[in-house]
Amino acid sequence: MKLILMGLVTGILFGFLLQKATVLRYDRQLGALRLKDMTIVKFMLSAVCVSMVGVYLLHDLGMVSLSIKSTILGANIIGAILFGLGWGLLGYCPGTSLGALGEGRYDALWGIIGMVFGAAVFARAYPFLTETVYQWGDYGKVTIPSALGINHWPVIIVFIIISLLLFRWFEKMKL
Amino acid sequence: MESSKQQWSPYLAGALTGIVIILSVWIAGQYFGASTSFVRTAGIIESVFAPETVSGLEYYQRVAPRLDWQWFFVAGILLGSLIAAKTGGTFRWQAVPDMWRGRFGNTPVKRGVTAFAGGAVLMFGARMADG
C-alpha cells in the first residue's frame, strides 16, 4: 500500500516536470526523431547525468542496488527497430502517452489502446521469441564499466563531458 | 501559441527529474519504467474475459496481471501532467497534433489509426528489448 502510494506520488512529480518542459507533445517527439528539435534530448540527458551520479554514489555507499538489464543483441536490436518504427508513427512513448492524455492530447488514447493490444500480442509471441531472438547474442548483465574492466566514475565523467559539449552545440545550432 | 513563460527549461526540468529518480531508487528501491504496466493492464483486461487464456500464457505468469508500484507511477504521470497543464493554463483538448495537421490536415481518424498501429508495434518492440 505504501509502495503504491509512493509510485503515484513519484509519477505525479515526473508527469508535472514532463508537462512543464513541454516534452509530452507529438511535435517535440517527432522534432527529436527528425533531428530538428533537441528539447527531449536535453531533458533526458540532464536527467541521466544527475541520476547517474546520485545512484552510483548511493551504490558505492551500499545503500541501493542497481537494476541491470540483460544484453541480448538479437532481442535488443530487433526490439529497438520495432520500437523506433512504432514511436515514429505514434509520436509518444509508453510513459509520455499518459502525460500527453493528461494535458488534453487525446490522440494519445488510441496509442495507449494500441500499446495494450501490442502487449497482448507479445504475450502470445513470447514462447516463439524465447527460442529465437532471445538466443541470439546473449551477453548477460554487462555495463560499459564492466565491459571495459574499469571503475564506473571515469565512464560517468566522460558521459557528462560529452553531454555538456552536446548541450553547447545544441544551443549554438538553436536546436 | 501558449505563453513561453509557462515553459520550464528542459535542462532544469530534466535535472529535477534526475533528483526524483535518485529519491525513488533510494526510498522506494524503484527505477523508472512504463512498458511493463501495459502488459499488466492487458493481462487484467484479458483475465476479465478469458481467465483460462491468461493462466495458459507463460508471459502473464512472468509479468503477473496486478497493480504494482510502476502501474501507479504511470497513472501518476497522467495526473501530474493534468495538474501542471490545468494550473499553468496550457491544457488543450486536441485530436490532431499541430505538426500532423500541417502535413496531413485535420484527419483525426487517420491519426487515430496510425497512433493505434504505432502503439502496437512500439510496445511489441519495447517488450522484446526488455525496455
Side-chain angles (χ1 to χ4, degrees), chain A residues 140-160:
Chain A
K141 293 184 186 294
V142 288
T143 63
I144 295 171
S146 77
L148 296 172
I150 57 173
N151 182 275
H152 42 270
W153 288 106
V155 177
I156 292 169
I157 291 164
V158 169
F159 188 94
I160 291 172

Side-chain angles (χ1 to χ4, degrees), chain A residues 3 7 11-12 19-20 25 27 34 43 47 65 86 89-90 99 102-107 114-115 124 126 134 171, chain B residues 2 8 11 14 31 46 62 69 73 76 81-82 90-95 97-99 111 118-120 123 128:
Chain A
L3 199 62
I12 289 172
Q19 205 280 337
K20 285 296 182 193
R25 303 171 183 191
D27 292 16
R34 298 168 74 192
F43 180 95
S65 51
L89 291 171
L90 174 54
E103 61 172 359
R105 301 171 196 283
Y106 66 92
D107 57 324
M115 287 190 277
R124 282 153 181 84
Y126 186 70
Y134 285 108
E171 296 309 322
Chain B
E2 290 121 15
W8 291 13
Y11 299 117
Y31 287 86
E46 286 203 71
R62 293 172 65 98
W69 178 91
F73 168 73
S81 165
L82 180 66
T90 52
F91 185 93
R92 193 157 59 112
W93 280 114
Q94 200 182 33
D98 298 335
M99 193 186 279
R111 169 63 189 144
M123 185 51 59
M128 187 190 289

Side-chain angles (χ1 to χ4, degrees), chain A residues 21-41:
Chain A
T22 70
V23 293
L24 295 168
R25 303 171 183 191
Y26 172 93
D27 292 16
R28 290 274 191 230
Q29 308 222 1
L30 265 288
L33 295 178
R34 298 168 74 192
L35 304 177
K36 290 181 169 182
D37 179 346
M38 290 293 117
T39 309
I40 288 177
V41 179

Side-chain angles (χ1 to χ4, degrees), chain B residues 17-83:
Chain B
T17 297
I19 292 168
V20 176
I21 292 171
I22 296 167
L23 291 174
S24 174
V25 172
W26 193 2
I27 299 167
Q30 298 290 330
Y31 287 86
F32 283 23
S35 68
T36 311
S37 299
F38 288 84
V39 180
R40 296 199 198 279
T41 304
I44 290 165
I45 294 168
E46 286 203 71
S47 53
V48 172
F49 298 103
E52 64 285 353
T53 310
V54 173
S55 53
L57 286 169
E58 186 196 343
Y59 199 63
Y60 286 139
Q61 310 300 314
R62 293 172 65 98
V63 185
R66 60 184 172 82
L67 304 180
D68 64 348
W69 178 91
Q70 195 199 82
W71 200 93
F72 281 90
F73 168 73
V74 173
I77 294 174
L78 191 151
L79 274 178
S81 165
L82 180 66
I83 293 165

Side-chain angles (χ1 to χ4, degrees), chain A residues 86-102:
Chain A
W87 187 18
L89 291 171
L90 174 54
Y92 305 112
C93 52
T96 54
S97 63
L98 274 296
L101 185 60

Side-chain angles (χ1 to χ4, degrees), chain A residues 154-167:
Chain A
V155 177
I156 292 169
I157 291 164
V158 169
F159 188 94
I160 291 172
I161 291 169
I162 293 171
S163 300
L164 291 175
L165 289 172
L166 264 177
F167 292 162

